[in-house]
Amino acid sequence: MEERQAVAAFAALGQEHRFRVVRALVTAGPDGLAAGALATEVGVASTNLSFHLKELSHAGLITSRREGKSVIYSAAYAGLSDLIAFLMRDCCQGRPEVCAPAVAALSACDCLTGDPAHA
């Protein structure tokens, strides 16, 4: 990820509703959520949701797919991973203890254990 892309991603996440959308989609997993369910989950009117979804999509943080008459939105895990990697790329400067808390937090993620009850 280049700096320009990272700035766009952080700008998109810098708005409360968009931040909630990404968190809800990460929690929902790869199956994602239909637009109506997503609007209810994050507490934003469906009429305003499309604007927020467009911004997140342009930033590479979410994806969408059509299933019948519904549009299903999912977290773009590759984009989110790239953003985290961008932040951590130059971490430590030879001092691994600086990054240890971030690495421990990622290692503690239930999704890494393969436990579907907590993913």
Side-chain angles (χ1 to χ4, degrees):
M1 176 173 280
E2 295 179 18
E3 184 175 307
R4 178 185 51 78
Q5 294 168 304
V7 169
F10 281 117
L13 289 170
Q15 200 282 337
E16 179 181 5
H17 294 304
R18 292 192 289 265
F19 185 74
R20 287 183 186 165
V21 165
V22 170
R23 290 197 65 197
L25 292 176
V26 167
T27 301
D31 292 339
L33 292 170
L38 185 55
T40 300
E41 178 80 21
V42 300
V44 65
S46 296
T47 54
N48 294 329
L49 183 65
S50 63
F51 168 76
H52 296 300
L53 295 172
K54 180 185 68 131
E55 293 294 316
L56 292 167
S57 181
H58 286 338
L61 300 175
I62 67 168
T63 61
S64 64
R65 67 184 183 281
R66 189 162 279 292
E67 285 186 7
K69 293 182 179 183
S70 298
V71 177
I72 308 297
Y73 293 91
S74 301
Y77 293 99
L80 292 167
S81 296
D82 287 349
L83 186 58
I84 292 167
F86 176 83
L87 282 176
M88 302 302 291
R89 183 180 310 146
D90 300 320
C91 184
C92 304
Q93 299 298 317
R95 297 178 48 213
E97 71 278 4
V98 172
C99 294
V103 172
L106 287 173
S107 297
C109 177
D110 290 331
C111 61
L112 297 176
T113 65
D115 182 357
H118 296 96

